Amino acid sequence: MKIPILRLDRVLLVSIQADLSDNDAMEFQSDLVTRVAEVEALGVAIDITALDVVDSYMARVINDTASMVRLLGAEVVICGVQPFVALTLVEMGRDLLGADCTFNLGEGLALLRQRIAKRGDVRFTEDEDV
Amino acid sequence: MSEPLPARSVAIADASDIVTARRVARELCEALGLGKADQTRLATAVSELTRNVIQYAGSGTCVIEDASDAAQRRARVLVEDQGPGIPDLQLALSDGYSTSGGLGAGLPGTRRLVDDFHIESEPGRTRVTIALAKPR
């Protein structure tokens, strides 16, 4: 299963819509990192609203992906962690999800825009909205 | 007391079986009237244990059953494999220890999610039993 990566100017949107197998998860990670480099993305929003189970493996994949994206130079935000997923992740162990989170994709995009604007380098902001 | 719900056995042979096993676990919790938090806990615990099977033993089985009695509603899961076994259980159950480059949250994390946790392991056989229960 291929996870679509949508591009909105220099921001990438990914919505994980179904339970991923481990292979899907690894493929998603490399697809996203490649794409971030290709379009020199400034921000990435990963929406996990549809995931009702995030085990330690999936948490690691999400965390690692976020770290990779940051290493490339883009801002990253995780959107839509379900309440019972949050509960379970914290009960299992601290620090399973270390990236910044927002309630939903809309807030995620707003946060990314803020962060990107804060970088303050006009060469990297292609329109006034960003 | 009503008849127990039928047990379901899921063969764990590849990573897609992890998804099946945790769905079945969630369904049983739901059928027993356990809340969403418990459904998610058990599904996550099953996900951790069956992933260990794939990772360390290659294949195994996961039996998900209704073990309710007069006093409580109880969802029980047995995960078993014929893999190499866990040489040092104490170590495997401590936070942050991993032989696979993971976070080391799998077994200790699973133990914290459930009400009962029992593990026995020797070369050729590892068996983990977990259960979540709520008073009737």
Side-chain angles (χ1 to χ4, degrees), chain A residues 19 22 55-56 91-92, chain B residues 22 41 47-48 51 112:
Chain A
D19 262 343
D22 298 7
D55 62 9
S56 63
E91 283 180 354
M92 269 202 296
Chain B
R22 70 191 186 206
R41 285 189 185 103
S47 192
E48 299 289 346
R51 169 160 291 106
R112 280 193 289 272

Side-chain angles (χ1 to χ4, degrees), chain B residues 8-13 17-18 21-22 25 42-55 57 59-65 76-83 86 107 110 117-121 125-131:
Chain B
R8 289 194 54 190
S9 178
V10 180
I12 308 299
D17 298 324
I18 297 173
R22 70 191 186 206
L42 195 70
T44 307
V46 165
S47 192
E48 299 289 346
L49 297 178
T50 51
R51 169 160 291 106
N52 283 350
V53 169
I54 298 287
Q55 199 150 24
S59 65
T61 52
C62 175
V63 177
I64 295 152
E65 61 190 9
R76 184 168 63 195
V77 180
L78 296 88
V79 178
E80 193 167 13
D81 68 62
Q82 274 75 50
I86 303 168
L107 279 182
T110 303
F117 180 96
H118 182 74
I119 184 166
E120 43 191 279
S121 185
R125 183 168 179 267
T126 295
R127 185 180 162 92
V128 189
T129 312
I130 57 172

Side-chain angles (χ1 to χ4, degrees), chain A residues 19-23 52-60 63 82 84-85 87-96, chain B residues 15-16 18-19 22 26 36-37 40-41 43-44 47-48 51 95 100-103 105-106 108-110 112-113:
Chain A
D19 262 343
L20 296 185
S21 75
D22 298 7
N23 288 343
D52 57 9
V53 171
V54 176
D55 62 9
S56 63
Y57 174 83
M58 194 62 200
R60 188 177 103 216
N63 261 340
Q82 291 298 302
F84 295 111
V85 167
L87 179 142
T88 307
L89 279 173
V90 171
E91 283 180 354
M92 269 202 296
R94 265 170 284 168
D95 301 331
L96 284 179
Chain B
S16 66
I18 297 173
V19 178
R22 70 191 186 206
R26 182 182 288 279
K36 263 216 100 175
T40 307
R41 285 189 185 103
T44 307
S47 192
E48 299 289 346
R51 169 160 291 106
D95 273 307
S100 62
L103 292 167
T110 303
R112 280 193 289 272
L113 288 179

